[in-house]
Amino acid sequence: MSLAMLVALGVDAVLGWPAALYRRCGHPVTWLGALIAVLDRRWNRGRRRRLKGAAAAVLVIALAATAGALVQAALPAGVWGMVLAGVIAWPLIAARSLHDHVAAVARPLAACDLEGARAAVAMIVGRDPAALDEAGVARAALESLAESASDGVIAPLFWGAVAGLPGIAAYKAVNTLDSMIGHRTARHGDFGWAAARIDDVANLIPARLTALLIALAGGRFGAAWRVMRRDARHHRSPNGGWPEAAMAGALGVRLSGPRVYADRVAAEPWLNAGGGDPRAGELRRGLSVYRRAVGLAAVVLAVVALV
């Protein structure tokens, strides 16, 4: 299925997910989100929340994988079937969307429009943008770019290549579950426990592949590798630290560190603590590294498809 994933990545790079199409029919992730929201309202109450949350996660993942399997079974064999599978998988790749969202932060930041950059970064991170200076905005955008390169691009491509449409659909279900209920909060600490653990397992390999691609694309492989080996394990996420550390090493900046959310201050350790604070220029360079990393992923898919 590597050819199908290459097609999906190519269509996404050209089209993204058009706004007109989103207004007309939404997006597969919003469909999954609607189902998760219903289960959260109905099941996340009373006793045995951890068990009910696990059941909800299994149900959503199974439904997504079954839908993918049924669609894949209906496709013709051969190259045309692979092309059709790629077109069907296209909405589940977010390479263009991620780039556009981060570029929307980079443009006002480069124009010294800090308020505009804060408003744009608020669309992609959960921390309080009012407390961010130029370095804070650039840091938040770079962290989102690196981590989402794994969650939104490389991981779906990986699971699609390994397990076809059932694999990529199941992964998007896992990732959506984690983003909606996989939080350590009073409401979701128990109900979302299984979703968070499944997401950790599903991203174990893709996160490290993403880090390797970023390190190769950044032109400073040795520095990126050293930061990854030293600092990634100290990140709050067992997976997110790998692509973020690779980006920090590739750009020679420090990422992560203390940050302010709406309800708390998180005292996170630095990734590449000896690096400088990122600015608008580093954010533009980060976008270039991201584009090259996605290009390398496309080359890998093409090679695997030809083997």
Side-chain angles (χ1 to χ4, degrees):
M1 293 295 289
S2 296
L3 176 58
M5 294 304 105
L6 183 61
V7 170
L9 181 60
V11 176
D12 176 74
V14 173
L15 297 178
W17 188 250
L21 192 57
Y22 181 84
R23 288 192 297 269
R24 186 174 184 85
C25 63
H27 186 275
V29 170
T30 65
W31 307 341
L32 286 167
L35 173 59
I36 295 166
V38 170
L39 294 173
D40 187 20
R41 287 195 303 270
R42 295 185 178 180
W43 291 6
N44 189 8
R45 60 178 69 176
R47 301 171 60 189
R48 297 183 178 177
R49 292 194 184 192
R50 183 170 289 196
L51 179 60
K52 289 187 284 189
V58 170
L59 175 62
V60 173
I61 296 165
L63 287 174
T66 300
L70 291 173
V71 172
Q72 185 166 303
L75 296 177
V79 173
W80 284 113
M82 290 291 179
V83 171
L84 286 173
V87 173
I88 293 166
W90 149 46
L92 305 180
I93 308 295
R96 175 71 176 268
S97 173
L98 174 58
H99 182 278
D100 290 351
H101 277 89
V102 176
V105 180
R107 286 191 294 270
L109 200 63
C112 300
D113 177 9
L114 185 56
E115 288 305 314
R118 285 170 172 166
V121 83
M123 303 296 292
I124 58 174
V125 299
R127 69 196 70 172
D128 182 6
L132 300 178
D133 56 8
E134 179 188 359
V137 169
R139 183 178 298 115
L142 283 169
E143 291 165 6
S144 181
L145 178 65
E147 188 167 2
S148 296
S150 176
D151 295 351
V153 185
I154 303 304
L157 291 173
F158 173 81
W159 287 110
V162 168
L165 293 181
I168 191 172
Y171 175 77
K172 292 306 290 188
V174 169
N175 189 240
T176 307
L177 280 158
D178 181 64
S179 67
M180 291 184 66
I181 65 173
H183 309 294
R184 295 177 181 176
T185 61
R187 176 170 178 80
H188 291 122
D190 286 330
F191 188 75
W193 179 87
R197 299 292 80 73
I198 295 169
D199 184 78
D200 288 344
V201 173
N203 283 295
L204 190 67
I205 295 174
R208 287 150 182 80
L209 289 176
T210 305
L212 180 60
L213 290 169
I214 290 173
L216 290 169
R220 289 163 44 94
F221 182 82
W225 182 261
R226 286 192 296 273
V227 175
M228 287 159 51
R229 291 290 302 274
R230 185 188 66 219
D231 295 345
R233 66 182 183 276
H234 300 306
H235 195 271
R236 65 191 180 281
S237 165
N239 297 314
W242 288 88
E244 288 187 29
M247 185 66 79
L251 299 178
V253 300
R254 61 177 184 171
L255 297 178
S256 193
R259 72 274 312 279
V260 179
Y261 293 94
D263 59 344
R264 70 190 193 281
V265 176
E268 302 291 347
W270 291 104
L271 301 174
N272 195 29
D277 286 323
R279 305 288 179 179
E282 285 74 30
L283 183 52
R284 290 196 300 269
R285 285 171 53 210
L287 281 165
S288 295
V289 170
Y290 167 74
R291 290 192 295 269
R292 292 195 294 271
V294 173
L296 285 173
V299 171
V300 172
L301 288 171
V303 170
V304 173
L306 291 173
V307 171

